[in-house]
Every structure is written in C-alpha cells, then in structure tokens.
C-alpha cells in the first residue's frame, strides 16, 4: 500500500504568539516550528499501517518556505520512507498549496492520502477537501482509523456517541482527526538516518502551478482581548451571609446570569 | 597436623582438593568469558591508591555492611567474614601440610589458635542465628533458597569438623608435649580422650577437607561467590561522582544506544551481577519497591545476571550475534521508569553495585533506540526539545517570576560575580517562583553580586539525561555551555539540586567546568559570616527533608541544615531514621516529576507520613529542592495538614527571617 501524508509546518503549540508590528503577521523570531498536530496524527496513522504491513510505503510532502524541510525530517525520523519539499513563499494561499499537492499526487499515485483535519495555525481545514476535489477523489473527514479491506479501504470516523465505518474502493483522501495512538517518539537511529536522507525539491513552477493566483490577503491580525482576573469576595468585610448576598447581587446585576 | 602422612594419603588429598580447584577454575573461566561479553570500561582503572583504600575499608573493613540500621546484622556478617579469613589461613596450612608437608608461618602459635577457635565459635553461632532467621523469620524480600541453606550448612559443617578434629587431637595427645593447643577445643577434648581418638581425628579431618573441597567446587554456582567477586567489584568501582551518569562518547556515530544487548553493558556491570549477595538492602531502601511499585533494584541486577548465564554461552559461540536486551525479555519498561534515581540502592549496597547505571542504560535503549517509553515522559522530552523546558511553558515567559524585582541579567551586568541559574521549576512553577524570589531577597540583603540569564536560560538537560535521552542532554548541555561561555560565567548558584548536580558533576564531561554552589551552601556561609542578619520570629520546629541530589548524590547534608539552625528561633528536627544518607525520596526524581504514579502507595504520601509520625511534631517541613517542595506540598494538601505542617524551602525560611523585613 502506498500512503502519502501532506504536512504543514506551524509554530509549536507551546509557543507564545505575538502579532508583528505590521498588524498582519506574527513575529517569527524565536519561534520553534513543528509538524501541525493533526498532520502528526496522520503520520502516526500511516506508520501504524506500515508496522502492520512492512510492505507499506509512507511518503511525506510539504509546500512551504525552506524551514519547512525540518518538518519533513521530523516525519522521516518517525519512520516515513521519503519526503519531498515543494518550495513556496512564507504564506502560500491554501488553494495554491492544494493545486501543487494535486500535481504531486498525480506523479506519486498513492492509494491513500492522509491529511490532518486542519492546521493548528490558521485552522482553515481547507487543503484536504480542496485536494480531494481537484483530484476528483472520494474524501472522508475526521477519520480515526483505516485498514485495507477486500477491494478497497475501510475507514472509521467518529460521530456523536459512536463511529461509522466507510469503505472506499479506489484511491481516496481522508482527513485525520486523531489516531488511537499518540504520535511516536522518534528514535535516535531514526533521527540520524533522517538527517542523511536526500529531500528532493520541486518548484511550484515545475509542477505547473501559478503561485500568484488566486490571492487572498490577511488584512488584520489581533490577539484575543485579555481576560479580566476573577473577583474574590472576602469574608473579612462581613460575615458569610453578607458575602453570599453580595455574590447574588453581582451575579444578577453585573454578570446577569441570574 | 595430619592424620596420615603416607604417600597415598598425600596423593588422595591432592586429588580431592586438586579436583575441586579444577572444578572451580573451569566454572570461573566460563564466568570470566561471559563477563567479557561486556564492553571495555576505561573508567575502572587508575587512581589505584584510592582503590586499595576502598578495598581495605569496604572489603576487609566491611564498612558498607555496618551502615546505620544494619549494625547488628552487619556485625554478624563481619564476624563470619573475618572468621572465614582466619580459618582459610588455617585451611591453607592444613592442605599444604597434608600434601607437601609444608606449614604456613605462625600457625603453631597460641595466638593463632585462639583466633581460630574464637572465630570458629563465633561463625558457628552466626550460622545458627542465620539458619533460625531464615527458617522462622525470613526478612521481607529475601529470596530464601536452597542455596542459602547449602552454604550455611557447609560453613556449619566446616566449623563442627574443625572443632572435632582439634578436640580429638588434643584428647588423643597428638600434639607435641608443651606445644600450644587449640584452647576452646581443649575444653571438650576429654570427651574424646581414649583409644578411639586417632580414628575420630582422622575421620573428622578428612570430612573437613572434603567439605572444603566441595565448598570450593560449589562456590561459582552460588550467590556466595561474592566472597570472591566482591574483591574485584570493590576494587573496580566507579570513581565518577555519585551524581554523574556515564557519558556516551561520539553519540552521533553510534549504531546502538544504551543496553540494546548484553554486549552493551560493560564487563564491570556484569561483574556486578556475579557479586550480588541477594541481601535485599537495596530493595528495602528503595522508595519504589517499598511503596508497592513493580521495580525492585535487586531483581534488576539478578535478571540481567540470569540472562547472561542463560544466553551468554550462545552469544560467545556466535560472535556476531547481539542477542536480546533484558528489557525485551524479563525487565519491563514500567519497572525501569518506576525508578526515581534516588540512589538509596547504591548507597546501601554492601558490595558497591551500581544499580542506577544499569537502569539508565536500559532506559537509554528504550528511549533512544526504540522510542518506546511512558507517554508522559515523551511529552516532557518533547516539551524540553521544543520550548526549552519540560513543562512546555513558553520560553519568553521564563523570567516572569522576577517581575517587579528588577533582577539584572548577565546582558545588563556582565560583571556580576555569580550567575543564578534559576532552573525550569523555579521559573515556571508558581510555588517555586516564591523560592526564587526569596533567594533574590537574601542575595540582595547580603549584597552579593549576581545576575540571571533571563530569557536566554533554557533547561540544562538534566531531565532528558535521567529519562534516558542522552542525546538531548548533550544538545541542551552544549547550548548551555555556549551561553555560559558567551558571558564568561565562572561561578554558578543553583537553587535546584538537579541543576546543581548536572552542572557540578556532569558538565565537566563536556568541557564545562564551573564553580557550582547550591544556594543553601552560599546562604549558610552568608549567615555564618554575618553578612546575612536574621531575626527571630518566635519558636519554630523545622523538619529537614534531604533531597536525593543534594544529600546522597552530592554529600551536601550540612549546609541546608545550617540555614535552619542559623535562623533564630528555628529548631532543626531530623526525620529519623530517614535522614541524611537514609533520606527517603519525595518521588519526583529521575523524570518521575512528569509521570503519573498509579501503582501502590504514593511515595510523597509515605514521606509525609514519616514526618507526621515524628514525636517532635514539627511546624514546618523544609527542603532544598523545587521538586521535593512540589511533592511535599501535594502530600500535605491531600492529607489536609498544610495548616500545621507547612512545606517550604530553607531559602524561604531564611528570607522570612531577614532583619530588614520586620513583620
Ligand atoms: S535509585 Fe532509588 S528508586 Fe531507583 S532503584 Fe535505586 S533505590 Fe529504587
Ligand atoms: S544489589 Fe547489593 S544491596 Fe541489592 S541485593 Fe544485591 S548485594 Fe544486596
């Protein structure tokens, strides 16, 4: 089975994000970058299939600036077989990314493409479904498990209070919710091997994709408003009864929840 | 004295004893070859004067057997051992006389005979006590096996036959007139006086040498081999500081990491296995074992040894095969990650076995080669890699604890005398931020010139090294050494014993050598010299909890106590008998801070109970470690005793009593 996982490199979830002075982008200085968490689950899900059947190949690909190569290396260190780097600007439009990936998928011809359900930086959840649409492939969203079955692939997805099992016959694309297992910890031999691996590079133009159109632009970025601190009512200014009375008053008049 | 000096008797004796020697040698040779399956180990050589001294103190002096809490039992062992040495000398004489007709010097003196008889009696008594104890009051976790009975039986038989033939010789007047005779045996000699004396003498003498021969031939398959292997095991003990783990050199060039096979332990680690006496002292003192976890340090040592004995021959035969790692077979990951690396086992082992190295080598294999270890530990390491601290807090908020204190960074003040390395716990954990602030107040009050690294500080890598990711430790440590180098740091203060330990004992392995002080050492000195003036705030009884990485691993017992006793009004209470080198771990070391503790009783709860049981009824329990503080706080919280038994750091105690901060 040939599996392909497109990755996005995003600021690590432990980072504290600041808006840059231009008001449209984030400060990238001092940021540690990682594979977007759902993409990492997708890698893990693919690798579990490889554990079960060693003849499986798992490829990864990313469209992004040079630093995104590290995300490919991280995936290779976890055990993926090969990684391809498609060079683009810092903030390639999602549709451009999907088009580039579609060309790559046509070259690579995987049996299944696993995307994370959304990237943790912009939370758009666009690339996976767009890629399936461009390819004209079936698409199953928020998948938790898959397995090769007679004449196709069985796909589990979580629904409220249970799960559904779908079956796709031909090549298909899934967006991954979370696998049963946490993404694996890369072994040191894996990291060393990944360091030495060649990462073939492709330009958007060589894939026949126009980076310029369609163009969307972020016009403004803001951090959420600071939450005010809680209020503590002290019994020092009165007995328990008056504190309770004050609490009721505040809940009714200020918070308006009563 | 020999019953028969004819040539046939000499030949027979030579045959019997020679056979035993051959049997011993063949088995010893096998053990030696199995041991050499292990890697070479350069750190075992050199500093021979110290090694000889250790040999005298630990082997001959039985020093580690006579530790607190084990004095009576230890004395029993020491008696058997010293007696054994004296009697072995006599046995050598016996065998020489019986074969070649030669004598050992000094054996015919009254003094030697007194020694032999007294020790023989003591050994006999000790054997009886040991037999009774084993049979009727087996200590917990001692594996009572046939082997123990066989050995005790043989030793007993040796003593009985010794007394018998001595008494018969005296009774039968076989000693030259006027020569000294065995004094104690003489007391029972009249029983044997008579015509049968020569026969009794000959019978018991031959039984004695047969027993000696059997003992020798049996020894290599018994845990009592330790009477031989302790000698080299003590001699080749590590000279690394206790708190330092072994470095993996050229880590990027290695193919295997940690103990991926029996071949990856060093020969000395296999010798450790041959030396274990199965006494169980390590396990008795292990916080994991004694609170019902799976880990049992003795079993780690024994399981590796068992595997060596079972699979070693096949490995020797197939020179290129690596074989399985002990964690693939008998030792589970859970066991290995139960360990807090507290060092109680190493401290207590009478034959200087190095448990932590073995445990960490096995962890290294699981973590680096296999990537299979507890998920929470994985998260901690991932956080450390990505955000520079195991909690996954944002790096830029590292200096937030100092808000409003106006603490200079080295960038502001490169001339500062000391670098205060705050550490991740005091930087990010709310409770421990207060300790960092307390230290700043103390340093200010004493006008100490210091600065911090601020947001340039990152984790020094200690948790990674204890959990088993040597590579990550080396990466973090190198980065820290570079940062220190940029500011020409020479003196470092750490309020965290884990930071303190890795800087002091491990950074030199990577070329980073600094003068490192734990904050309590500096503060104790400042109080002593009068640069810090403290006032009394009423009487306060303070129990002191020894952090493992301050106490056992670094021998810093006095300084934090001096901070308590140097605080007017404070009275020091020892958490006896679990104080100083017998301190009981809080449960957070070795990366356990970031892992859940599900099995058995919680270690910090046990520790708190030890404090609560003190008759002195302390008002506070002080420590000198951020992890201990977190664990003590948690235990005090769950037990609902925070009001009457306040957990705190000795630095806070001192800072609260600053004269300049009159309440
Ligand atoms: S270091 Fe401590 S926790 Fe680990 S095995 Fe030894 S005694 Fe037990
Ligand atoms: S390792 Fe040491 S302390 Fe533990 S059982 Fe063996 S000899 Fe005793």
């Amino acid at each position: 089975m040939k599996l392909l996982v497109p990755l996005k490199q995003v600021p690590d979830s432990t980072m504290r994000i600041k808006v840059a002075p231009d008001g449209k982008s984030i400060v990238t200085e001092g940021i540690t970058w990682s594979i977007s968490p759902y993409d990492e689950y997708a890698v893990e899900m693919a690798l579990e299939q490889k554990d079960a059947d060693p003849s499986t190949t798992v490829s990864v690909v990313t469209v992004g600036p040079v630093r995104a190569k590290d995300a490919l290396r991280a995936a290779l260190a976890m055990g993926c077989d090969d990684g391809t780097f498609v060079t683009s600007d810092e903030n390639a439009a999602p549709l451009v990314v999907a088009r580039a990936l579609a060309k790559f998928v046509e070259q690579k011809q995987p049996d299944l493409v696993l995307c994370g359900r959304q990237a943790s930086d912009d939370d758009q959840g666009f690339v996976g479904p767009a890629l399936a649409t461009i390819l004209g492939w079936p698409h199953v969203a928020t998948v938790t498990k898959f397995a090769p079955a007679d004449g196709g692939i069985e796909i589990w997805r979580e629904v409220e209070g249970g799960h559904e099992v779908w079956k796709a016959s031909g090549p298909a694309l899934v967006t991954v919710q979370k696998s049963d297992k946490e993404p694996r910890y890369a072994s040191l031999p894996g990291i060393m091997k990944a360091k030495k691996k060649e990462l073939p590079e492709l330009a958007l133009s060589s894939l026949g994709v126009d980076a310029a159109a369609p163009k969307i632009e972020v016009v403004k970025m803001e951090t959420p408003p600071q939450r005010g601190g809680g209020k503590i009512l002290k019994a020092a200014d009165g007995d328990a009864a008056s504190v309770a009375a004050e609490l009721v008053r505040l809940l009714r008049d200020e918070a308006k929840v009563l | 004295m020999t019953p028969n000096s004819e040539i046939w008797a000499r030949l027979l004796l030579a045959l019997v004893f020679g056979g035993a020697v051959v049997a011993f040698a063949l088995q010893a040779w096998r053990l030696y070859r199995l041991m050499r399956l292990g890697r070479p180990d350069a750190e075992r050589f050199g500093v021979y004067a110290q090694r000889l001294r250790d040999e005298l103190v630990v082997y001959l002096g039985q020093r580690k057997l006579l530790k607190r809490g084990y004095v009576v039992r230890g004395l029993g062992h020491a008696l058997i051992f010293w007696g054994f040495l004296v009697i072995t000398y006599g046995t050598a004489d016996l065998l020489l006389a019986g074969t070649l007709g030669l004598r050992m010097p000094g054996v015919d003196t009254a003094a030697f005979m007194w020694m032999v008889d007294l020790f023989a009696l003591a050994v006999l008594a000790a054997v009886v006590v040991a037999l009774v104890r084993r049979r009727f009051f087996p200590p917990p976790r001692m594996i009572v096996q046939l082997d123990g009975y066989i050995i005790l039986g043989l030793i007993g038989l040796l003593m009985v036959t010794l007394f018998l033939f001595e008494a018969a010789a005296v009774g039968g007047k076989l000693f030259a007139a006027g020569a000294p005779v065995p004094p104690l045996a003489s007391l029972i000699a009249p029983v044997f006086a008579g015509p049968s004396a020569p026969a009794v003498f000959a019978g018991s003498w031959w039984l004695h040498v047969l027993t000696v021969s059997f003992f020798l031939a049996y020894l290599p398959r018994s845990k009592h081999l330790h009477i031989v292997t302790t000698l080299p095991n003590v001699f080749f003990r590590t000279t690394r500081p206790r708190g330092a783990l072994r470095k993996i050199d050229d880590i990027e060039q290695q193919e295997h990491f940690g103990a991926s096979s029996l071949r990856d332990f060093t020969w000395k680690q296999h010798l450790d296995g041959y030396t274990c006496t199965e006494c169980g002292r390590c396990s008795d003192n292990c916080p994991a074992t004694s609170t019902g976890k799976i880990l049992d340090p003795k079993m780690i040592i024994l399981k590796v040894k068992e595997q060596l004995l079972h699979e070693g021959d096949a490995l020797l035969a197939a020179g290129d095969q690596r074989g399985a790692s002990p964690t693939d077979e008998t030792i589970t990951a859970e066991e290995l990650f139960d360990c807090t690396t507290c060092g109680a086992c190493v401290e207590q082992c009478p034959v200087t076995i190095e448990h932590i190295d073995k445990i960490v080598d096995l962890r290294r294999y699981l973590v680096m080669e296999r990537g299979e270890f507890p998920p929470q530990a994985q998260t901690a390491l991932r956080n450390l890699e990505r955000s520079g601290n195991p909690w996954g807090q944002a790096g830029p908020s590292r200096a937030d604890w100092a808000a409003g204190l106006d603490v200079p960074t080295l960038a502001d003040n490169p001339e500062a005398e000391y670098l205060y390395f705050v550490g991740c716990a005091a930087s990010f954990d709310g409770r421990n931020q207060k300790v960092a602030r307390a230290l700043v107040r103390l340093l200010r009050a004493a006008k100490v010139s210091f600065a911090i690294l601020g947001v340039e500080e990152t984790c020094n890598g200690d948790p990674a090294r204890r959990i088993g990711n040597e590579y990550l430790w080396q990466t973090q440590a190198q980065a820290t050494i570079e940062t220190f180098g940029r500011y020409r740091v020479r003196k470092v203060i750490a309020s965290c014993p884990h930071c303190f330990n890795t800087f002091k004992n491990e950074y030199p392995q990577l070329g980073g050598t600094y003068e490192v002080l734990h904050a309590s050492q500096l503060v104790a000195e400042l109080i002593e010299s009068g640069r810090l003036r403290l006032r009394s705030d009423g009487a306060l009884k303070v129990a002191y909890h020894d952090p493992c990485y301050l106490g056992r691993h670094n021998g810093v017992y006095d300084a934090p106590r001096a901070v308590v006793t140097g605080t007017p009004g404070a009275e020091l209470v020892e958490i006896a008998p679990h104080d100083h080198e017998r301190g009981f771990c809080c449960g957070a070391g070795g990366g356990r801070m970031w892992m859940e503790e599900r099995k058995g009783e919680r270690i910090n709860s046990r520790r708190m109970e030890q404090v609560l049981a003190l008759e002195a009824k302390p008002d506070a329990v002080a420590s000198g470690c951020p992890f201990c503080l977190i664990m003590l706080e948690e235990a005090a919280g769950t037990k609902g005793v925070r009001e009457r038994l306040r957990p705190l750091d000795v630095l806070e105690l001192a800072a609260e009593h600053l004269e300049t901060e009159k309440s």
Side-chain angles (χ1 to χ4, degrees):
Chain A
M1 201 174 197
K2 277 172 75 176
L3 305 175
L4 174 69
V5 186
L7 301 177
K8 184 174 187 185
Q9 194 195 39
V10 299
D12 190 78
S13 52
T14 59
M15 294 297 119
R16 195 187 268 182
I17 301 297
K18 281 201 206 99
V19 176
D22 69 0
K24 298 178 183 183
S25 57
I26 62 164
V27 178
T28 52
E29 203 210 325
I31 291 275
T32 307
W33 302 85
S34 306
I35 302 176
S36 176
Y38 288 115
D39 296 353
E40 216 177 1
Y41 279 112
V43 170
E44 176 62 34
M45 197 182 285
L47 289 175
E48 262 157 49
Q49 175 58 29
K50 189 178 165 72
D51 290 344
D53 173 8
S55 71
T56 308
T57 58
V58 180
S59 308
V60 284
V61 58
T62 190
V63 182
V66 180
R67 57 167 165 74
K69 278 186 175 178
D70 291 343
L72 293 177
R73 297 227 185 266
L76 293 179
M78 288 170 75
C80 297
D81 297 279
D82 59 88
T84 308
F85 174 56
V86 183
T87 340
S88 83
D89 315 342
E90 186 67 41
N91 288 310
L95 190 56
V96 170
V97 174
R99 282 181 178 161
L101 289 175
K103 293 286 188 211
F104 183 72
V105 169
E106 278 162 15
Q107 288 178 10
K108 197 87 182 171
Q109 301 201 319
D111 303 301
L112 184 69
V113 175
L114 300 104
C115 297
R117 58 174 264 196
Q118 73 206 78
S120 68
D121 54 352
D122 59 18
D123 280 336
Q124 288 217 60
F126 176 90
V127 170
L131 176 55
T133 309
I134 298 169
L135 292 167
W137 283 14
H139 160 232
V140 185
T142 55
V143 166
T144 53
K145 193 167 126 186
F146 78 92
D150 269 350
I153 305 164
E154 255 179 10
I155 297 164
W156 277 256
R157 62 185 301 270
E158 236 168 43
V159 289
E160 184 76 40
H163 65 263
E164 296 173 345
V165 185
W166 294 41
K167 192 160 171 184
S169 53
L173 183 144
V174 296
T175 56
V176 171
Q177 158 77 342
K178 232 180 160 186
S179 119
D180 293 345
K181 254 180 75 187
E182 287 295 309
R184 65 196 56 195
Y185 194 82
S187 72
L188 198 44
I191 294 172
M192 297 299 166
K193 246 183 22 214
K195 269 193 183 172
K196 292 189 200 116
K197 263 204 184 135
E198 288 284 327
L199 293 179
E201 281 189 37
L202 297 172
L204 283 178
S205 56
S206 76
L207 290 169
V209 176
D210 180 2
K215 189 78 180 164
I216 52 163
E217 198 189 344
V218 176
V219 289
K220 197 164 179 221
M221 229 181 229
E222 271 175 356
T223 44
Q226 285 266 324
R227 262 196 236 149
K231 200 174 258 180
I232 296 172
L233 301 179
K234 285 221 177 78
D237 353 307
D239 57 334
S242 64
V243 171
E246 173 68 1
L247 179 63
V248 170
R249 191 190 65 77
L250 287 173
L251 286 174
R252 188 184 52 226
D253 300 348
E254 271 188 28
K256 302 198 194 310
V257 292
L258 289 187
Chain B
M1 180 159 321
T2 37
N4 322 75
S5 51
E6 298 87 341
I7 189 76
W8 67 262
R10 292 179 179 217
L11 278 178
L12 184 64
L13 179 60
L15 214 62
V16 167
F17 188 69
V21 170
V22 170
F24 178 86
L26 285 176
Q27 297 175 80
W29 175 241
R30 170 175 176 251
L31 292 180
Y32 175 77
R33 298 216 320 145
L34 294 181
M35 179 184 92
R36 294 301 303 268
L37 276 171
R39 290 186 297 120
D41 194 346
E43 71 173 26
R44 306 300 169 173
F45 304 95
V47 282
Y48 292 111
Q50 184 194 326
R51 293 183 189 280
L52 273 176
R53 203 166 48 237
D54 279 357
E55 202 65 78
L56 289 178
V57 174
V58 178
Y59 187 71
L60 285 184
Q62 302 272 289
R63 180 65 195 90
K64 290 199 80 188
L65 272 147
L66 300 171
K67 290 185 85 74
R68 198 153 55 110
Y70 294 93
V71 177
V72 176
R73 279 165 282 177
L75 221 51
H77 181 278
L79 277 181
I80 295 193
F81 172 73
W82 291 323
F84 188 86
L85 290 184
V86 171
I87 290 162
T88 301
Y89 190 81
T91 307
D93 172 67
L94 209 83
L95 293 166
L96 267 182
T99 48
L100 305 175
L102 300 175
R103 305 299 309 272
M104 299 287 281
V107 288
D108 271 340
T109 58
F112 185 75
M113 289 186 175
W114 266 107
M115 278 210 305
V116 169
D117 272 17
L118 283 177
F119 271 125
L121 188 68
V123 169
L124 199 57
V127 164
V128 170
V129 170
L131 277 173
V132 169
R133 175 160 167 257
R134 241 157 234 273
R135 178 70 188 81
F136 300 105
F137 321 95
R141 280 184 296 282
M142 180 188 268
I143 314 173
V144 179
Q145 278 175 339
L146 190 57
D147 180 43
Y149 287 113
I150 293 181
I151 287 287
L152 285 175
L154 286 175
I155 297 177
L157 191 59
L158 279 176
M159 298 309 120
V160 169
T161 50
L162 175 83
F163 276 127
L164 268 181
F165 78 69
E166 278 185 351
V170 176
K173 304 222 176 348
L174 301 177
F175 283 93
V181 291
L184 294 184
S186 302
L187 299 179
I188 50 168
V191 180
F192 301 97
S196 62
V200 174
F201 173 67
S204 49
W205 190 92
W206 278 102
L207 188 56
H208 186 78
V209 295
L210 273 175
T211 313
V212 168
S213 306
F214 184 79
F215 189 86
L216 187 62
Y218 177 75
L219 201 56
R221 42 180 62 231
S222 161
K223 65 183 184 183
H224 284 260
L225 185 59
H226 77 266
I227 59 175
V228 181
T229 45
T230 301
L231 210 54
N233 210 52
V234 169
F235 189 78
F236 293 115
R237 75 194 281 195
T238 182
T239 48
R240 246 180 296 143
R242 171 81 61 83
L245 292 172
R246 196 177 35 216
K247 183 188 164 208
I248 300 183
D249 292 316
D250 305 317
I251 192 162
E252 301 214 352
Q253 266 73 58
Q254 303 300 319
E255 281 175 37
H256 295 285
F257 301 91
S260 70
S261 128
L262 290 172
R263 295 182 193 271
D264 292 326
F265 289 116
T266 74
W267 60 265
K268 170 64 174 62
Q269 288 178 300
H270 287 314
L271 183 60
D272 270 359
Y274 295 160
T275 312
C276 177
T277 69
E278 301 178 22
C279 70
R281 289 188 186 194
C282 51
S283 317
D284 288 346
N285 288 277
C286 172
T289 314
S290 53
T291 55
K293 312 293 187 284
I294 303 183
L295 170 67
D296 180 335
K298 173 173 79 178
M299 292 316 293
I300 300 281
I301 304 299
L302 291 179
K303 283 176 186 173
V304 174
K305 168 189 169 186
E306 280 307 303
Q307 192 185 340
L308 183 69
L309 294 182
H310 277 118
E311 297 172 12
D313 296 300
L315 287 181
L316 275 177
D320 51 343
Q321 261 173 36
R322 294 188 49 81
S325 165
T327 48
D328 301 333
E329 304 206 330
T330 46
I331 301 175
T332 62
E334 186 178 346
E335 271 174 274
L336 297 173
F337 285 93
D338 276 343
C339 174
T340 68
T341 69
C342 74
C345 47
V346 180
E347 173 73 34
Q348 290 294 340
C349 178
V351 294
T352 67
I353 283 171
E354 296 152 12
H355 313 67
I356 296 182
D357 285 346
K358 231 173 220 166
I359 292 174
V360 170
D361 281 345
L362 289 163
R363 284 184 175 190
R364 283 175 171 175
Y365 164 65
L366 284 178
V367 171
M368 289 191 285
E369 191 157 331
R370 299 273 300 273
E372 288 168 15
F373 58 110
Q376 293 153 332
Q378 294 190 16
T379 308
L381 293 192
R382 250 191 219 118
N383 286 338
L384 205 167
E385 245 166 83
R386 294 177 182 179
S387 57
N389 67 83
W391 276 282
Q393 299 286 329
S397 58
R398 190 172 264 273
D400 288 5
W401 65 272
L405 284 182
D406 204 18
V407 181
T409 61
L410 274 182
D412 305 334
N413 179 11
E415 298 307 316
E417 182 182 359
Y418 290 101
L419 164 67
Y420 169 32
F421 190 94
V422 186
C424 303
S427 295
F428 298 111
D429 172 62
R431 178 65 187 84
N432 280 293
Q433 290 176 341
K434 292 188 187 153
V435 179
R437 296 172 72 93
L439 178 58
V440 168
R441 272 149 53 208
L442 290 169
L443 296 178
R444 286 256 162 87
K447 304 207 169 35
V448 174
S449 150
F450 75 100
I452 60 172
L453 281 170
V455 291
E456 282 186 85
E457 186 182 295
T458 66
C459 177
N460 53 47
D462 166 79
R465 196 174 219 201
R466 309 292 138 192
I467 288 173
N469 196 333
E470 171 74 4
Y471 184 64
L472 184 53
W473 174 75
Q474 289 192 10
T475 320
Q476 290 290 126
Q478 253 139 14
T480 307
I481 289 172
E482 258 166 49
T483 312
F484 284 10
R486 243 191 346 267
Y487 290 111
R488 297 186 213 297
V489 169
R490 283 179 305 111
K491 299 183 180 180
V492 184
I493 317 168
S495 49
C496 168
H498 298 262
C499 301
F500 166 72
N501 177 65
T502 200
F503 288 145
K504 185 170 193 285
N505 298 322
E506 297 187 323
Y507 271 40
Q509 296 174 353
L510 297 174
T513 313
Y514 315 97
E515 189 185 313
V516 189
L517 282 179
H518 183 258
S520 68
Q521 293 177 304
L522 181 63
V523 170
E525 198 188 297
L526 294 173
I527 297 176
E528 164 86 25
S529 65
R531 278 174 71 186
L532 265 183
R533 304 173 70 91
L534 308 180
R535 58 172 168 79
S536 170
D537 193 16
L540 187 72
K541 278 193 253 178
V542 182
Y544 178 69
H545 161 86
D546 283 283
C548 306
Y549 276 84
L550 206 50
R552 262 193 302 271
H553 284 291
N554 283 290
V556 180
Y557 294 115
D558 297 339
R561 287 178 167 79
V563 175
V564 176
T565 51
T567 302
E571 181 196 329
L572 174 69
V573 176
E574 294 292 354
I575 312 176
H578 298 287
D579 57 284
H580 289 83
E581 85 290 351
R582 289 195 70 196
F584 192 85
C585 179
C586 71
R592 295 281 335 157
M593 181 74 234
W594 299 279
M595 295 177 237
E596 263 177 53
E597 190 181 340
R598 291 207 197 85
K599 218 170 242 128
E601 188 189 346
R602 290 182 61 88
I603 295 177
N604 60 348
S605 156
R606 171 72 66 86
R607 183 51 165 168
M608 193 47 88
E609 254 146 40
Q610 293 169 353
V611 182
L612 288 171
L614 293 175
E615 263 174 37
K617 295 267 169 279
D619 309 297
V621 49
S623 181
C625 170
F627 296 154
C628 294
L629 184 54
I630 293 174
M631 296 313 263
L632 292 173
E633 280 283 0
E634 193 210 58
T638 26
K639 292 195 184 301
V641 295
R642 253 199 211 117
E643 304 284 307
R644 62 184 162 98
L645 183 64
R646 192 182 145 219
L648 80 177
D649 193 287
V650 291
L651 300 176
E652 294 178 295
L653 179 72
E656 284 169 10
H657 289 78
L658 274 171
E659 250 186 14
T660 43
E661 294 183 23
K662 283 229 157 31
S663 51

